[in-house]
Amino acid sequence: MADNSLLTSTAERTSLADSSIFDSKVTEMSKENLFIGSTTYIEEMPLVETRVILVQEAGKQEDLTKAIKEIKVPFVKMESVEEFEGLDSPEFENVFIVMDFQDSIFNHLYKADCRIVGPPVVLNCAQKGEPLPFSCRPLYCTSMMNLVLCFTGFRKKEELVRLVTLVHHMGGVIRKDFNSKVTHLVANCTQGEKFRVAVSLGTPIMKPEWIYKAWERRDEQDFCAAVDNFKNEFKVPPFQDCILSFLGFSDEEKTNMEEMTEMQGGKYLPVGNERCTHLIVEENIVKELPFEPSEKLYVVKQEWFWGSIQMDARAGETMYLYEKANTPELKKSVSLLSLNTPNSNRKRRRLKETLAHLSRETDISPFPPRKRPSAEHSLSIGSLLDTSNTPESSINYGDTPKSCTKSKTSTPVPPKQPARWQVAKELYQTESNYVNILATIIQLFQVPLEEEGQRGGPILAPEEIKTIFGSIPDIFDVHTKIKDDLEDLIFNWDENKSIGDIFLKYSKDLIKTYPPFVNFFEMSKETIIKCEKQKPRFHAFLKINQAKPECGRQSLVELLIRPVQRLPSVALLLNDLKKHTTDENPDKSTLEKAIGSLKEVMTHINEDKRKTEARKQIFDVFYEVDGCPANLLSSHRSLVQRVETISIGDYPCDRGEPVTLFLFNDCLEIAKKRHKVIGNFWSPHGQTRPPTSLKHIHLMPLSQIKKVLDIRETDDCHNAFALLVRPPTEQANVLLSFQMTSEELPKESWLKLLCRHVANTICKADAENLMYTADPESFEVNTKDMDSTLSRASRAIRKTSKRVTRAFSFSKTPKRALRRALMTTHSSVEGRSPSSSDKHVVSRLSSTSSLAGIPSPSLVSLPAFFERRSHTLSRSTTHLI
């Protein structure tokens, strides 16, 4: 499809293809006239004042009139074309405000070379306090101001003229030829030289709908067509006009790639279909194509597929063409290894030399061979060590520090090779390989993700990159120094030199750098998995880089686990080194100190990780429980146990309500199950949390628990326990009774755990004395018919009654405040004659109950219930306290 370079205006006034040429000519002419006038006729030049003319409907807009007054320019109104002749005056530079750029009066003014602007231009100038802009063309709005557009692939002249006109009306500039000044390419196809250049320069490639949709929003004052949220909807997808087929991939991977194809605007068909434009080949599997491809079919490697997705544009196919495996060079190399020839002895010798050479190359690889998936879950302690083998494996990583790129031809071998030197050599080799792996993570993954000006915009947000890589650069810096010191020691070997001093020297740095990464490794891993699923460009980025030889066919998650494994492997090597160090050698005691410092670092990591997980658990509870008080979040607090129960009393909630108890080291959070789940919680970073499933009831300090009652098992009572509590706001004890529903934790273990933490809180050593075994009849506790139909029906009736009462209540008074009000009213009515205000309260409450149609137990019987309950508890617990 040829690029259409002929652009014409609707009035057939000009056939200029490049509007920038016309703009530059106008500017040069105006500058030339200004120069001539300033030197020759400056004394005779009359002063010209700008005047605004409101055309027809524009004169009826009050906001326009107000904006023009703020700009401080004179204005008049024009109702018809006939008034145009009378308004023409050499004293004024007229600027016409037209509401509709499709109207006949607009065409009349346009043919007369008048300055025409739209209402949004005037309103924006008034808002910013700027004068009206000068434009040689009609300017309706400025939503494409400072944008330079180029077009490609348009065959219909009428469509192209329409698009160009709209761009001019929105303040954009058109270029005929594509160059570095073009900000956007508007493409009607994915072919042509302009398209290829735009992809190589990273210029956004847009659909024509982008211009039409921007014109639809022309009246929005602060709208800009170049903002990412709007622009990204109309980008040309990488696989537009492409029909792909896939060869050599597993069923799972093929399904994934087909889904990606549709997401990126393409289609897919089976291999061999004549309509296919591209055949994607797994070059490591496919050695020969099953058919002879046509000239129109692109046969490309999978890197083209993932590269196109990563840069959000269709990549050039020439760089990724698939080459057949049976090339002459490959046939020659295979024949050299063949043993079925007359000169088999010579070729066996050559094969032996080749294998020896390959084995040496294998020794220097910083990556172990890729394991089977089944073997990855059965690693032994020895497999955690980095067992790759020589310092020659250092890789040049561009801006990687110089220490990482040093390379020695061979490790010096002393005349005698004592075991201590062998272990020291292995320590140096594994350290060198570990540094190379860290450099690979930084240079191959982190640096490209942090680069500015990425094609298609940033692949990941900065906070996501920080979460994934954490303190990897700091760990890399520390181990680079350790590697340099070990290298100097190995290449200048002396038995009396201390290896332990090297690790003692950097022990403080290890304590600073490792805990932040190790503690949040699981979060880093989860972020990678989540972003890979949600962001196709990141998935493509990983596919491309993980296939490179520097990664050793390992994924980013597998590479990032190396820092978690490194310190234990160093401790094992130092222990081995100590075994081969004589008692007379001063390094023996230093090695013991170094091993102790490493253990201290790992202990610190474990302790820090435990605290981090404890804080995370508290935050999880805080976000899971709706209305949870903020004072639950405390640095000294930790979650001990979560227990699922059912309330078998009338307090803290209705009988039969599911209740969750969160035991902390100093308090007990009581929450009930929500009946209506609220919407998702949005975090500051835009991430969503699951809806809260629990509702806060009470946060109780453990010091308020006076006794823990273990209710004996009977036919009518199973798995029940109770807490005797003395709240500071109550004068009598309150009994909280529950039935455990958690099967993982036995009731006896739970009660002992609770007693121990209550005893720790009140500073008592005898936790056993806090527990008391009681009969269920003594405290009117039973679990009979908790799950029966009658019980569920009665609970539903009570809930309905409460809802009706609340619905007809004129003031949504909280339950506790209402209880106090009722008790006060009750006592005042008994003790004295009610006042007018008391009568009003009583009458209001009675009217509420009458409206409900039934006596509300939640309102009427509260004082009686608490009075009866307190008498019962006082009788039952006199001998407990």
Side-chain angles (χ1 to χ4, degrees), residues 102-119:
Q102 305 295 327
D103 199 1
S104 58
I105 195 168
F106 166 80
N107 293 330
H108 180 82
L109 296 173
Y110 181 66
K111 291 176 182 179
D113 286 334
C114 297
R115 244 178 105 185
I116 308 173
V117 297

Side-chain angles (χ1 to χ4, degrees), residues 131-341:
L132 291 175
F134 176 81
S135 176
C136 58
R137 296 186 186 85
L139 181 67
Y140 187 87
C141 63
T142 57
S143 57
M144 283 195 175
M145 190 67 73
N146 301 322
L147 300 187
V148 182
L149 276 64
C150 186
F151 291 84
T152 183
F154 290 87
R155 289 188 172 184
K156 294 181 180 180
K157 180 179 176 180
E158 296 78 9
E159 182 183 8
L160 185 59
V161 169
R162 173 64 177 160
L163 291 170
V164 170
T165 303
L166 293 180
V167 171
H168 286 159
H169 289 346
M170 291 184 284
V173 177
I174 306 297
R175 297 272 184 182
K176 174 185 176 182
D177 299 320
F178 190 92
N179 54 38
S180 59
K181 294 183 180 179
V182 174
T183 59
H184 297 79
L185 176 68
V186 182
N188 203 31
C189 70
T190 57
Q191 304 290 336
E193 187 64 26
K194 290 181 182 179
F195 188 90
R196 293 294 169 212
V197 175
V199 171
S200 63
L201 294 179
T203 304
I205 304 174
M206 312 302 298
K207 298 177 182 178
E209 289 80 5
W210 174 55
I211 299 175
Y212 291 128
K213 290 295 182 181
W215 179 249
E216 289 178 5
R217 300 178 62 177
R218 60 189 178 275
D219 291 317
E220 298 180 20
Q221 277 191 346
D222 299 324
F223 171 69
C224 177
V227 295
D228 290 339
N229 291 339
F230 176 75
K231 180 180 67 176
N232 291 340
E233 296 180 20
F234 305 100
K235 279 188 175 181
V236 174
F239 300 137
Q240 180 172 305
D241 304 330
C242 295
I243 302 177
L244 313 182
S245 57
F246 303 93
L247 180 63
F249 300 94
S250 64
D251 293 340
E252 182 180 356
E253 195 166 8
K254 183 180 177 182
T255 302
N256 177 35
M257 297 175 80
E258 289 173 348
E259 292 174 355
M260 286 281 186
T261 301
E262 291 184 334
M263 289 174 58
Q264 302 301 322
K267 300 178 181 178
Y268 62 88
L269 288 173
V271 175
N273 193 295
E274 295 181 356
R275 294 171 53 200
C276 289
T277 59
H278 295 74
L279 175 62
I280 317 299
V281 178
E282 167 57 273
E283 61 273 17
N284 298 318
I285 303 296
V286 178
K287 302 304 180 185
E288 188 174 352
L289 297 178
F291 62 94
E292 188 65 28
S294 63
E295 295 181 358
K296 295 182 180 180
L297 180 66
Y298 289 106
V299 183
V300 293
K301 303 175 184 177
Q302 62 170 326
E303 190 176 354
W304 173 84
F305 179 84
W306 298 117
S308 298
I309 297 176
Q310 179 188 332
M311 62 184 181
D312 204 19
R314 178 178 162 185
E317 290 85 359
T318 53
M319 295 176 58
Y320 305 96
L321 292 177
Y322 170 75
E323 297 177 358
K324 294 182 180 181
N326 55 351
T327 58
E329 293 79 7
L330 185 60
K331 287 183 178 180
K332 182 179 179 181
S333 62
V334 172
S335 66
L336 290 176
L337 296 177
S338 174
L339 301 180
N340 299 324
T341 61

Side-chain angles (χ1 to χ4, degrees), residues 67-134:
I68 293 171
K69 290 179 180 178
E70 292 178 2
I71 300 175
K72 297 179 181 179
V73 292
F75 68 93
V76 295
K77 298 180 181 181
M78 187 179 82
E79 293 295 336
S80 63
V81 180
E82 287 75 17
E83 301 178 24
F84 174 69
E85 299 293 338
L87 294 174
D88 192 13
S89 172
E91 298 179 2
F92 294 101
E93 169 70 21
N94 292 324
V95 180
F96 295 85
I97 311 297
V98 181
M99 295 287 293
D100 186 4
F101 273 28
Q102 305 295 327
D103 199 1
S104 58
I105 195 168
F106 166 80
N107 293 330
H108 180 82
L109 296 173
Y110 181 66
K111 291 176 182 179
D113 286 334
C114 297
R115 244 178 105 185
I116 308 173
V117 297
V121 175
V122 180
L123 296 175
N124 281 333
C125 290
Q127 184 180 7
K128 298 177 182 178
E130 299 175 352
L132 291 175
F134 176 81

Side-chain angles (χ1 to χ4, degrees), residues 603-621:
T603 302
H604 181 80
I605 291 173
N606 292 334
E607 181 64 21
D608 201 39
K609 186 176 182 180
R610 186 189 63 79
K611 291 180 180 178
T612 302
E613 290 176 350
R615 294 191 190 102
K616 184 177 180 296
Q617 288 177 338
I618 296 177
F619 274 100
D620 290 341
V621 173

Side-chain angles (χ1 to χ4, degrees), residues 522-535:
E522 288 301 324
M523 187 181 297
S524 171
K525 181 179 175 181
E526 291 172 3
T527 304
I528 293 173
I529 295 172
K530 182 193 73 173
C531 291
E532 193 173 3
K533 289 181 179 179
Q534 297 179 355
K535 302 188 177 184

Side-chain angles (χ1 to χ4, degrees), residues 366 386 388 429-439 472 475-476 479 514 562-564 566-567:
D386 293 310
S388 43
Q429 289 171 346
T430 56
E431 188 68 22
S432 177
N433 293 331
Y434 177 59
V435 169
N436 289 337
I437 292 172
L438 295 177
I472 284 287
I475 296 174
F476 171 76
H479 280 275
Y514 268 92
R562 293 304 184 92
V564 180
R566 182 57 188 164
L567 291 184

